[in-house]
Amino acid sequence: MSSSRRAEIAANLAAVRERIAVACAAAARDADEVTLVVVTKYFPASDVRLLVDLGVADVGENRHQEAEAKHRECADLRQPGGPVLRWHFVGGLQSNKAAAVAAYADVVHSVDRAKLVQRLDAGAQDRPGPIDVLLQVSLDPPDRPGRAGADPADLPELAALVEAASRLRLRGLMAVAPLGEDPAAAFARLADVRRDFVAAHPAADRLSAGMSGDLEAAIRAGATHVRVGTAVLGSRPSVQ
Ligand SMILES: *Cc1c(COP(=O)(O)O)cnc(C)c1O
């Protein structure tokens, strides 16, 4: 384990925690209402170990194969009495991978269609506890190609499916600010969607929004979970 890498991550983490604290203060929110999920995609399991050592309890991944391998490499960290380490799956989820993701993900942020619900629930049968599920809502216009996330109008039906699944727990919503739009405007729309959602599902009050570039705007709009990669771990390699 390189001590300079540890120092780099420690300094970045301190800076991100400070940004979160400042954003919470500006929004008159308590800093411990916001959970930092460090997105470790493209970075090695050794970085996950450093993060855990530095007090990070939540890491996020967006590709199944990489996530599964890293989870396996870090299996020894999950001991009774050991540090808390929760794995968040934050990326687009293929239906045929959902059951496999359910085997290691503690939280899935990207549920945006009915088929995933059934597959995640089936894949969760050997887990010790249920999976926390966030519904990903699209903030893009409906005609945008490559749009990820459910249309806000489809949330009630999806929520009902998750609530009916015995091994899934509906916890809230997730969104990504669209490229080329002021994130504050997009997150303001998200806050409206969330208000209606929480009125119907009071226990599902988590909101996963905000990344390295826009976490302040997300916290202002009520985010409870920010997903931060680059600002903690540095630029991702462009070739994998
Ligand atoms: C990669 C990723 C992030 C982190 O993005 P950064 O800009 O590196 O902070 C957040 N959310 C999702 C869904 C991602 O895929």
Side-chain angles (χ1 to χ4, degrees):
M1 235 184 246
S2 137
S3 65
S4 65
R5 180 62 172 154
R6 189 183 198 282
E8 179 189 4
I9 293 178
N12 289 346
L13 256 185
V16 167
R17 286 179 173 143
E18 178 63 15
R19 282 175 63 188
I20 293 171
V22 167
C24 284
R29 298 184 58 197
D30 204 328
D32 42 87
E33 285 173 36
V34 177
T35 299
L36 170 62
V37 179
V38 177
V39 180
T40 47
K41 65 190 186 200
Y42 292 93
F43 289 98
S46 56
D47 280 354
V48 175
R49 290 175 185 279
L50 288 171
L51 287 165
V52 169
D53 196 45
L54 291 163
V56 170
D58 295 272
V59 296
E61 289 285 332
N62 76 334
R63 295 181 310 163
H64 164 59
Q65 275 182 315
E66 179 185 345
E68 186 181 51
K70 223 174 282 180
H71 176 268
R72 199 179 320 112
E73 287 175 72
C74 293
D76 61 295
L77 291 174
R78 306 247 270 183
Q79 298 297 330
V84 175
L85 177 58
R86 286 176 290 260
W87 293 83
H88 296 245
F89 195 88
V90 304
L93 190 48
Q94 291 170 259
S95 307
N96 62 356
K97 304 275 171 62
V101 167
Y104 60 81
D106 302 295
V107 189
V108 177
H109 293 227
S110 43
V111 173
D112 64 355
R113 56 198 190 279
K115 203 172 188 179
L116 293 177
V117 176
Q118 214 175 298
R119 305 242 169 136
L120 282 171
D121 191 42
Q125 59 188 348
D126 295 329
R127 297 176 54 84
I131 299 179
D132 285 334
V133 165
L134 306 181
L135 303 181
Q136 182 173 355
V137 48
S138 174
L139 301 175
D140 286 323
D143 52 355
R144 180 108 154 209
R147 185 178 194 247
D151 193 272
D154 296 332
L155 293 176
E157 189 193 332
L158 266 178
L161 287 173
V162 173
E163 287 177 324
S166 57
R167 303 176 197 97
L168 307 180
R169 221 164 26 182
L170 182 68
R171 297 310 298 263
L173 299 177
M174 178 272 216
V176 178
L179 285 175
E181 188 189 352
D182 172 14
F187 291 146
R189 290 203 298 286
L190 177 62
D192 287 342
V193 171
R194 186 218 197 178
R195 192 170 314 117
D196 294 345
F197 187 78
V198 174
H201 308 280
D205 60 351
R206 294 189 185 178
L207 182 63
S208 165
M211 322 200 302
S212 293
D214 58 16
L215 69 89
E216 285 85 359
I219 288 172
R220 215 176 305 128
T224 62
H225 289 66
V226 293
R227 310 177 307 269
V228 180
T230 314
V232 173
L233 295 169
S235 316
R236 288 179 283 275
S238 50
V239 193
Q240 162 80 331

